[in-house]
Amino acid sequence: MSKPLTGIRVLDLSKVLAGPLCAQYLGDLGADIIKVETVGQGDETRGWPPFPAPGLGTVFLSANRNKRSIAVDMKSEKGREIVHALAKSADVAIESFGTGVAERLGIDAPTLRTLNERLIHCSISGFGRAGPLKNSPGYDVILQAFCGVMSMTGDQDGGYIRSPISPIDQMTGVHAFSGILALLYAREKTGKGGEIQVSLFETALGLLGYNLQTFWERGVQPPKCGSSHESLCPYQAFEAADGPIMIGVANDNLWRKFCAVTGLSAIVDDIRFRTNADRVAHRKETLGHVEAALQQNSVAHWNEVLTGVGVPCAPINSIAQLLDHPHTKASGIIVDYEHQTAGRLKGVGHPVLINGAERRAGRPPPVLGQHTDDVLGEIGLSSEVIGELRRERVIG
Protein backbone atom coordinates (compact mmCIF):
# COMPACT_ATOMS: atom_id res chain seq x y z
CA MET A 1 0.00 0.00 0.00
CA SER A 2 1.41 3.40 -0.99
CA LYS A 3 1.98 5.70 1.98
CA PRO A 4 0.82 9.36 1.97
CA LEU A 5 4.31 10.87 1.57
CA THR A 6 5.75 8.36 -0.91
CA GLY A 7 7.83 10.31 -3.42
CA ILE A 8 8.76 13.11 -0.99
CA ARG A 9 12.49 13.45 -0.30
CA VAL A 10 13.74 14.98 2.96
CA LEU A 11 17.24 16.13 3.92
CA ASP A 12 17.52 15.57 7.66
CA LEU A 13 20.41 17.85 8.67
CA SER A 14 19.30 17.86 12.31
CA LYS A 15 20.53 16.02 15.38
CA VAL A 16 19.54 14.95 18.91
CA LEU A 17 15.72 14.66 19.22
CA ALA A 18 13.30 17.33 17.90
CA GLY A 19 14.51 17.38 14.28
CA PRO A 20 15.24 13.65 14.00
CA LEU A 21 11.82 12.80 15.46
CA CYS A 22 10.12 15.12 12.95
CA ALA A 23 12.01 13.45 10.10
CA GLN A 24 11.20 9.99 11.44
CA TYR A 25 7.48 10.78 11.38
CA LEU A 26 7.82 11.94 7.77
CA GLY A 27 9.67 8.70 7.00
CA ASP A 28 6.99 6.63 8.71
CA LEU A 29 4.51 8.21 6.28
CA GLY A 30 6.60 7.13 3.30
CA ALA A 31 9.06 9.98 2.68
CA ASP A 32 12.63 9.15 1.65
CA ILE A 33 14.75 10.54 4.49
CA ILE A 34 18.43 11.20 3.87
CA LYS A 35 20.09 11.81 7.23
CA VAL A 36 23.23 13.92 6.73
CA GLU A 37 25.70 13.31 9.57
CA THR A 38 29.21 14.47 10.40
CA VAL A 39 32.12 12.26 9.40
CA GLY A 40 33.43 10.23 12.34
CA GLN A 41 30.91 11.01 15.08
CA GLY A 42 27.54 11.43 13.42
CA ASP A 43 24.49 12.43 15.42
CA GLU A 44 25.67 12.87 19.01
CA THR A 45 22.91 10.62 20.32
CA ARG A 46 24.74 7.69 18.72
CA GLY A 47 27.04 7.99 21.72
CA TRP A 48 24.37 8.12 24.45
CA PRO A 49 24.17 4.80 26.35
CA PRO A 50 22.89 2.17 26.61
CA PHE A 51 24.05 0.58 23.35
CA PRO A 52 22.62 -2.56 21.75
CA ALA A 53 25.52 -2.15 19.28
CA PRO A 54 28.35 0.39 18.88
CA GLY A 55 27.19 3.76 17.57
CA LEU A 56 23.53 2.94 18.22
CA GLY A 57 22.54 4.67 21.44
CA THR A 58 18.95 4.04 22.42
CA VAL A 59 17.90 7.70 22.01
CA PHE A 60 19.26 7.55 18.45
CA LEU A 61 17.33 4.33 17.81
CA SER A 62 14.11 5.94 19.04
CA ALA A 63 14.16 8.80 16.50
CA ASN A 64 15.96 7.61 13.37
CA ARG A 65 13.92 4.83 11.85
CA ASN A 66 13.15 4.91 8.10
CA LYS A 67 16.24 6.93 7.16
CA ARG A 68 19.33 6.55 5.01
CA SER A 69 22.55 7.88 6.53
CA ILE A 70 25.33 9.65 4.67
CA ALA A 71 28.44 10.99 6.41
CA VAL A 72 29.61 14.33 4.98
CA ASP A 73 32.06 17.01 6.14
CA MET A 74 29.88 20.06 5.59
CA LYS A 75 32.71 22.35 6.71
CA SER A 76 34.54 21.50 3.50
CA GLU A 77 33.70 23.08 0.16
CA LYS A 78 33.20 19.70 -1.51
CA GLY A 79 30.96 18.58 1.35
CA ARG A 80 28.76 21.64 0.94
CA GLU A 81 28.58 20.97 -2.79
CA ILE A 82 27.23 17.49 -2.04
CA VAL A 83 24.52 18.86 0.25
CA HIS A 84 23.61 21.53 -2.30
CA ALA A 85 23.29 18.90 -5.01
CA LEU A 86 20.97 16.90 -2.77
CA ALA A 87 18.94 20.02 -1.93
CA LYS A 88 18.21 20.64 -5.61
CA SER A 89 16.06 17.52 -5.78
CA ALA A 90 14.74 17.56 -2.20
CA ASP A 91 11.27 18.56 -1.06
CA VAL A 92 12.15 19.31 2.55
CA ALA A 93 15.30 20.23 4.49
CA ILE A 94 15.45 20.23 8.30
CA GLU A 95 18.29 21.75 10.33
CA SER A 96 18.77 22.32 14.05
CA PHE A 97 22.15 24.02 14.36
CA GLY A 98 22.94 26.96 16.62
CA THR A 99 22.02 30.39 15.31
CA GLY A 100 24.41 31.42 12.54
CA VAL A 101 25.86 27.94 11.98
CA ALA A 102 23.49 27.03 9.14
CA GLU A 103 24.58 30.19 7.30
CA ARG A 104 28.26 29.32 7.72
CA LEU A 105 27.61 25.78 6.45
CA GLY A 106 25.50 27.01 3.54
CA ILE A 107 22.37 25.11 4.59
CA ASP A 108 20.24 28.07 5.65
CA ALA A 109 16.88 28.76 4.02
CA PRO A 110 17.99 31.58 1.63
CA THR A 111 20.91 29.51 0.32
CA LEU A 112 19.05 26.26 -0.21
CA ARG A 113 15.83 27.83 -1.50
CA THR A 114 17.83 29.80 -4.07
CA LEU A 115 18.87 26.41 -5.42
CA ASN A 116 15.32 25.02 -5.28
CA GLU A 117 12.29 27.28 -4.91
CA ARG A 118 10.05 24.27 -4.23
CA LEU A 119 12.08 23.38 -1.15
CA ILE A 120 10.43 23.60 2.27
CA HIS A 121 13.10 24.61 4.79
CA CYS A 122 12.54 23.95 8.50
CA SER A 123 14.82 25.52 11.10
CA ILE A 124 14.69 24.23 14.68
CA SER A 125 16.34 26.13 17.53
CA GLY A 126 16.41 26.43 21.29
CA PHE A 127 15.30 30.03 21.77
CA GLY A 128 14.43 31.10 18.21
CA ARG A 129 16.48 32.91 15.59
CA ALA A 130 15.81 36.43 16.92
CA GLY A 131 15.81 38.12 20.31
CA PRO A 132 18.37 38.46 23.13
CA LEU A 133 18.73 34.69 23.63
CA LYS A 134 18.97 33.66 19.98
CA ASN A 135 22.54 32.42 20.45
CA SER A 136 21.84 30.48 23.65
CA PRO A 137 22.06 26.68 23.40
CA GLY A 138 18.74 25.02 24.05
CA TYR A 139 18.16 21.53 25.39
CA ASP A 140 14.86 20.26 26.74
CA VAL A 141 15.98 20.46 30.36
CA ILE A 142 17.21 24.05 29.91
CA LEU A 143 13.84 25.11 28.54
CA GLN A 144 12.03 23.26 31.33
CA ALA A 145 14.01 25.42 33.73
CA PHE A 146 13.88 28.72 31.84
CA CYS A 147 10.17 28.59 30.96
CA GLY A 148 8.97 27.85 34.48
CA VAL A 149 8.01 24.22 33.95
CA MET A 150 10.39 23.08 36.69
CA SER A 151 9.01 25.68 39.07
CA MET A 152 5.66 23.84 38.97
CA THR A 153 6.88 20.24 38.79
CA GLY A 154 7.04 17.96 41.82
CA ASP A 155 5.67 18.17 45.35
CA GLN A 156 5.29 21.45 47.19
CA ASP A 157 8.17 20.80 49.59
CA GLY A 158 10.33 18.83 47.16
CA GLY A 159 13.26 19.70 44.96
CA TYR A 160 13.27 20.58 41.29
CA ILE A 161 12.33 17.76 38.96
CA ARG A 162 12.97 17.26 35.25
CA SER A 163 10.23 15.57 33.27
CA PRO A 164 12.00 12.42 32.02
CA ILE A 165 10.20 12.22 28.66
CA SER A 166 11.71 15.42 27.16
CA PRO A 167 8.24 16.80 26.34
CA ILE A 168 9.48 20.13 24.94
CA ASP A 169 11.94 18.49 22.55
CA GLN A 170 9.40 15.95 21.35
CA MET A 171 6.57 18.45 20.96
CA THR A 172 8.86 20.77 19.00
CA GLY A 173 9.40 17.89 16.59
CA VAL A 174 5.63 17.48 16.27
CA HIS A 175 5.20 21.22 15.58
CA ALA A 176 7.89 21.03 12.88
CA PHE A 177 6.14 17.99 11.42
CA SER A 178 2.77 19.79 11.26
CA GLY A 179 4.32 22.90 9.71
CA ILE A 180 6.03 20.82 7.01
CA LEU A 181 2.78 19.00 6.18
CA ALA A 182 0.97 22.35 5.94
CA LEU A 183 3.52 23.76 3.49
CA LEU A 184 3.54 20.56 1.43
CA TYR A 185 -0.21 21.04 1.05
CA ALA A 186 0.17 24.74 0.23
CA ARG A 187 2.83 23.93 -2.37
CA GLU A 188 0.28 21.93 -4.32
CA LYS A 189 -1.53 25.23 -4.93
CA THR A 190 1.40 27.63 -5.34
CA GLY A 191 4.17 25.44 -6.73
CA LYS A 192 6.56 27.07 -4.28
CA GLY A 193 8.02 25.93 -0.97
CA GLY A 194 8.57 28.07 2.09
CA GLU A 195 10.28 28.50 5.42
CA ILE A 196 9.36 27.19 8.87
CA GLN A 197 10.88 28.17 12.18
CA VAL A 198 10.12 26.35 15.42
CA SER A 199 11.87 26.64 18.76
CA LEU A 200 11.86 24.82 22.06
CA PHE A 201 11.13 28.17 23.73
CA GLU A 202 7.91 28.78 21.83
CA THR A 203 6.89 25.13 22.20
CA ALA A 204 7.25 25.47 25.97
CA LEU A 205 5.15 28.64 25.96
CA GLY A 206 2.51 26.82 23.94
CA LEU A 207 2.46 23.94 26.42
CA LEU A 208 2.03 26.42 29.26
CA GLY A 209 -1.17 27.86 27.77
CA TYR A 210 -3.62 27.21 30.59
CA ASN A 211 -0.97 27.65 33.30
CA LEU A 212 -0.24 31.14 31.99
CA GLN A 213 -3.95 31.89 31.75
CA THR A 214 -4.30 30.97 35.42
CA PHE A 215 -1.31 33.15 36.31
CA TRP A 216 -2.79 36.15 34.47
CA GLU A 217 -6.02 35.65 36.40
CA ARG A 218 -4.50 35.20 39.86
CA GLY A 219 -1.23 37.06 39.53
CA VAL A 220 0.68 34.57 41.68
CA GLN A 221 3.05 31.69 40.99
CA PRO A 222 1.09 28.45 40.48
CA PRO A 223 1.87 26.00 43.29
CA LYS A 224 3.67 22.70 42.86
CA CYS A 225 0.90 20.14 42.75
CA GLY A 226 2.72 16.82 42.62
CA SER A 227 0.33 14.40 40.92
CA SER A 228 -2.68 16.67 41.51
CA HIS A 229 -4.26 19.58 39.60
CA GLU A 230 -4.72 23.01 41.15
CA SER A 231 -8.18 23.39 39.59
CA LEU A 232 -9.61 19.92 40.28
CA CYS A 233 -10.23 17.73 43.34
CA PRO A 234 -9.97 14.80 43.87
CA TYR A 235 -7.60 14.49 40.93
CA GLN A 236 -4.32 12.86 41.95
CA ALA A 237 -2.55 9.71 43.09
CA PHE A 238 -3.81 7.93 46.20
CA GLU A 239 -2.65 4.90 48.16
CA ALA A 240 -5.06 1.98 48.09
CA ALA A 241 -4.59 -0.95 50.44
CA ASP A 242 -1.81 -2.50 48.34
CA GLY A 243 -0.39 0.28 46.16
CA PRO A 244 -0.92 3.54 44.28
CA ILE A 245 -3.81 4.43 42.03
CA MET A 246 -4.54 7.60 40.04
CA ILE A 247 -8.04 9.05 40.32
CA GLY A 248 -9.41 11.73 37.97
CA VAL A 249 -12.69 13.18 39.23
CA ALA A 250 -12.94 16.01 36.71
CA ASN A 251 -16.58 17.10 37.21
CA ASP A 252 -19.46 16.89 39.67
CA ASN A 253 -21.24 14.05 37.88
CA LEU A 254 -18.10 11.93 38.31
CA TRP A 255 -17.94 12.97 41.98
CA ARG A 256 -21.44 11.60 42.57
CA LYS A 257 -20.52 8.33 40.87
CA PHE A 258 -17.29 8.14 42.84
CA CYS A 259 -19.02 8.65 46.17
CA ALA A 260 -21.71 6.09 45.36
CA VAL A 261 -19.22 3.23 44.99
CA THR A 262 -16.66 4.23 47.64
CA GLY A 263 -19.00 4.60 50.59
CA LEU A 264 -18.94 8.41 50.60
CA SER A 265 -22.62 9.03 49.85
CA ALA A 266 -23.01 10.79 53.18
CA ILE A 267 -20.80 13.68 52.09
CA VAL A 268 -21.73 13.95 48.40
CA ASP A 269 -24.09 16.89 49.01
CA ASP A 270 -22.16 18.46 51.87
CA ILE A 271 -21.72 22.18 51.09
CA ARG A 272 -17.94 21.71 51.41
CA PHE A 273 -17.82 19.03 48.74
CA ARG A 274 -20.88 19.45 46.51
CA THR A 275 -19.12 21.15 43.56
CA ASN A 276 -15.60 20.97 42.23
CA ALA A 277 -15.00 24.57 43.33
CA ASP A 278 -16.14 23.59 46.84
CA ARG A 279 -13.81 20.61 46.90
CA VAL A 280 -10.86 22.67 45.68
CA ALA A 281 -11.58 25.24 48.41
CA HIS A 282 -11.69 22.42 50.99
CA ARG A 283 -8.98 20.29 49.40
CA LYS A 284 -7.45 18.94 52.60
CA GLU A 285 -10.78 17.75 53.98
CA THR A 286 -11.83 16.25 50.63
CA LEU A 287 -8.59 14.33 50.29
CA GLY A 288 -8.89 13.04 53.83
CA HIS A 289 -12.26 11.42 53.08
CA VAL A 290 -11.08 10.00 49.75
CA GLU A 291 -7.84 8.59 51.16
CA ALA A 292 -9.65 6.86 54.02
CA ALA A 293 -12.13 5.27 51.60
CA LEU A 294 -9.55 4.05 49.11
CA GLN A 295 -7.37 2.46 51.77
CA GLN A 296 -10.15 -0.02 52.46
CA ASN A 297 -9.48 -2.06 49.33
CA SER A 298 -6.94 -2.98 46.67
CA VAL A 299 -5.85 -1.20 43.50
CA ALA A 300 -7.38 -3.97 41.38
CA HIS A 301 -10.69 -3.65 43.21
CA TRP A 302 -10.94 0.10 42.83
CA ASN A 303 -9.78 0.01 39.22
CA GLU A 304 -12.55 -2.44 38.36
CA VAL A 305 -15.26 -0.72 40.39
CA LEU A 306 -14.48 2.86 39.33
CA THR A 307 -13.95 1.97 35.70
CA GLY A 308 -17.27 0.12 35.82
CA VAL A 309 -19.15 3.33 36.63
CA GLY A 310 -17.11 5.52 34.30
CA VAL A 311 -14.82 7.25 36.80
CA PRO A 312 -11.35 7.78 35.23
CA CYS A 313 -8.66 5.90 37.13
CA ALA A 314 -5.53 3.86 36.54
CA PRO A 315 -2.97 1.89 38.48
CA ILE A 316 0.39 3.65 38.48
CA ASN A 317 2.23 1.18 36.29
CA SER A 318 5.91 0.57 35.87
CA ILE A 319 7.30 0.51 32.33
CA ALA A 320 7.33 -3.29 32.46
CA GLN A 321 3.68 -3.37 33.50
CA LEU A 322 2.75 -0.98 30.69
CA LEU A 323 4.47 -3.11 28.06
CA ASP A 324 2.94 -6.31 29.42
CA HIS A 325 -0.61 -4.92 29.50
CA PRO A 326 -3.06 -6.54 27.04
CA HIS A 327 -4.16 -3.10 25.81
CA THR A 328 -0.61 -2.15 24.82
CA LYS A 329 -0.24 -5.44 22.98
CA ALA A 330 -3.59 -5.02 21.24
CA SER A 331 -2.78 -1.50 20.05
CA GLY A 332 0.03 -2.59 17.73
CA ILE A 333 2.04 0.53 18.64
CA ILE A 334 5.11 -1.56 19.60
CA VAL A 335 6.90 -2.82 16.49
CA ASP A 336 9.64 -5.44 16.12
CA TYR A 337 12.41 -5.30 13.56
CA GLU A 338 15.78 -6.79 12.71
CA HIS A 339 18.88 -4.59 12.74
CA GLN A 340 21.98 -5.63 10.81
CA THR A 341 24.35 -4.95 13.74
CA ALA A 342 22.11 -4.86 16.82
CA GLY A 343 19.94 -7.88 16.09
CA ARG A 344 16.28 -8.11 17.06
CA LEU A 345 14.95 -4.79 18.42
CA LYS A 346 11.69 -3.17 19.40
CA GLY A 347 10.50 0.37 18.75
CA VAL A 348 7.48 2.62 19.15
CA GLY A 349 5.60 2.88 15.88
CA HIS A 350 4.15 6.07 14.44
CA PRO A 351 1.31 7.03 16.82
CA VAL A 352 -1.15 7.70 14.00
CA LEU A 353 -3.24 5.02 12.28
CA ILE A 354 -3.99 5.77 8.63
CA ASN A 355 -6.77 3.81 6.97
CA GLY A 356 -6.39 1.15 9.65
CA ALA A 357 -3.09 -0.06 8.19
CA GLU A 358 -0.96 -2.23 10.45
CA ARG A 359 2.08 -0.43 11.82
CA ARG A 360 5.42 -1.70 10.55
CA ALA A 361 8.90 -0.57 11.54
CA GLY A 362 10.12 -0.15 7.97
CA ARG A 363 13.79 0.66 7.45
CA PRO A 364 15.85 0.18 10.68
CA PRO A 365 17.89 3.09 12.07
CA PRO A 366 21.05 3.34 9.95
CA VAL A 367 24.68 2.75 10.81
CA LEU A 368 26.69 5.97 10.37
CA GLY A 369 27.30 6.60 6.68
CA GLN A 370 25.64 3.33 5.71
CA HIS A 371 24.05 4.72 2.55
CA THR A 372 26.65 7.28 1.49
CA ASP A 373 27.65 5.53 -1.73
CA ASP A 374 24.07 4.79 -2.77
CA VAL A 375 22.85 8.34 -2.21
CA LEU A 376 25.84 9.96 -3.94
CA GLY A 377 25.39 7.58 -6.85
CA GLU A 378 21.79 8.79 -7.16
CA ILE A 379 23.01 12.36 -7.79
CA GLY A 380 25.39 11.20 -10.48
CA LEU A 381 28.74 10.73 -8.71
CA SER A 382 30.83 7.86 -10.07
CA SER A 383 32.46 5.25 -7.86
CA GLU A 384 35.84 6.79 -8.71
CA VAL A 385 34.73 10.25 -7.52
CA ILE A 386 33.16 8.76 -4.40
CA GLY A 387 36.40 6.92 -3.64
CA GLU A 388 38.39 10.13 -4.03
CA LEU A 389 36.01 12.02 -1.73
CA ARG A 390 36.43 9.27 0.87
CA ARG A 391 40.24 9.44 0.65
CA GLU A 392 39.99 13.20 1.20
CA ARG A 393 37.69 12.55 4.21
CA VAL A 394 34.94 14.67 2.68
CA ILE A 395 32.67 11.67 3.20
CA GLY A 396 32.75 8.73 5.58
Side-chain angles (χ1 to χ4, degrees), residues 180-237:
I180 289 168
L181 293 181
L183 284 192
L184 283 170
Y185 178 75
R187 194 180 68 174
E188 293 299 304
K189 303 175 184 177
T190 66
K192 295 182 179 181
E195 301 176 22
I196 297 163
Q197 289 191 14
V198 295
S199 69
L200 274 66
F201 171 74
E202 292 189 356
T203 292
L205 269 290
L207 291 171
L208 286 165
Y210 73 76
N211 305 97
L212 295 178
Q213 205 70 48
T214 300
F215 175 78
W216 290 324
E217 176 65 26
R218 294 179 176 171
V220 296
Q221 168 71 21
K224 289 185 175 183
C225 294
S227 65
S228 71
H229 193 300
E230 64 174 322
S231 300
L232 298 169
C233 184
Y235 196 94
Q236 66 181 68

Side-chain angles (χ1 to χ4, degrees), residues 109-379:
T111 300
L112 296 187
R113 294 201 63 244
T114 297
L115 300 170
N116 176 3
E117 70 170 5
R118 287 178 55 80
L119 184 71
I120 295 164
H121 187 281
C122 178
S123 180
I124 300 173
S125 62
F127 285 89
R129 300 305 188 190
L133 296 179
K134 66 180 182 180
N135 294 315
S136 298
Y139 282 79
D140 184 279
V141 68
I142 302 303
L143 273 298
Q144 286 192 42
F146 183 86
C147 292
V149 176
M150 275 190 173
S151 74
M152 299 184 294
T153 305
D155 293 316
Q156 188 60 49
D157 299 322
Y160 296 103
I161 296 175
R162 165 191 169 266
S163 172
I165 63 172
S166 300
I168 300 173
D169 246 337
Q170 296 204 63
M171 196 65 206
T172 300
V174 173
H175 286 325
F177 175 68
S178 66
I180 289 168
L181 293 181
L183 284 192
L184 283 170
Y185 178 75
R187 194 180 68 174
E188 293 299 304
K189 303 175 184 177
T190 66
K192 295 182 179 181
E195 301 176 22
I196 297 163
Q197 289 191 14
V198 295
S199 69
L200 274 66
F201 171 74
E202 292 189 356
T203 292
L205 269 290
L207 291 171
L208 286 165
Y210 73 76
N211 305 97
L212 295 178
Q213 205 70 48
T214 300
F215 175 78
W216 290 324
E217 176 65 26
R218 294 179 176 171
V220 296
Q221 168 71 21
K224 289 185 175 183
C225 294
S227 65
S228 71
H229 193 300
E230 64 174 322
S231 300
L232 298 169
C233 184
Y235 196 94
Q236 66 181 68
F238 294 93
E239 287 293 328
D242 61 348
I245 185 170
M246 185 73 195
I247 306 294
V249 177
N251 58 53
D252 298 331
N253 182 47
L254 290 173
W255 170 245
R256 302 188 75 82
K257 291 179 177 180
F258 179 83
C259 289
V261 297
T262 56
L264 294 177
S265 297
I267 68 166
V268 70
D269 287 320
D270 189 299
I271 58 173
R272 295 168 297 173
F273 313 121
R274 184 181 302 152
T275 70
N276 178 67
D278 296 330
R279 295 189 295 277
V280 169
H282 298 88
R283 184 181 296 271
K284 185 175 181 180
E285 295 164 274
T286 304
L287 296 182
H289 286 292
V290 173
E291 287 168 353
L294 293 177
Q295 287 172 2
Q296 301 305 307
N297 225 312
S298 67
V299 170
H301 169 83
W302 291 124
N303 190 52
E304 180 179 358
V305 168
L306 293 171
T307 299
V309 295
V311 175
C313 65
I316 298 179
N317 287 325
S318 66
I319 293 294
Q321 289 171 319
L322 164 69
L323 292 174
D324 194 48
H325 197 282
H327 188 78
T328 304
K329 295 177 179 178
S331 73
I333 187 68
I334 305 301
V335 294
D336 296 280
Y337 62 94
E338 194 74 31
H339 195 281
Q340 64 178 31
T341 61
R344 194 72 176 168
L345 296 176
K346 292 182 180 293
V348 180
H350 190 211
V352 177
L353 271 180
I354 296 180
N355 295 327
E358 180 184 356
R359 295 180 179 93
R360 297 185 184 277
R363 189 189 298 271
V367 172
L368 176 59
Q370 178 179 346
H371 306 96
T372 301
D373 291 20
D374 292 341
V375 172
L376 297 189
E378 291 170 9
I379 58 172

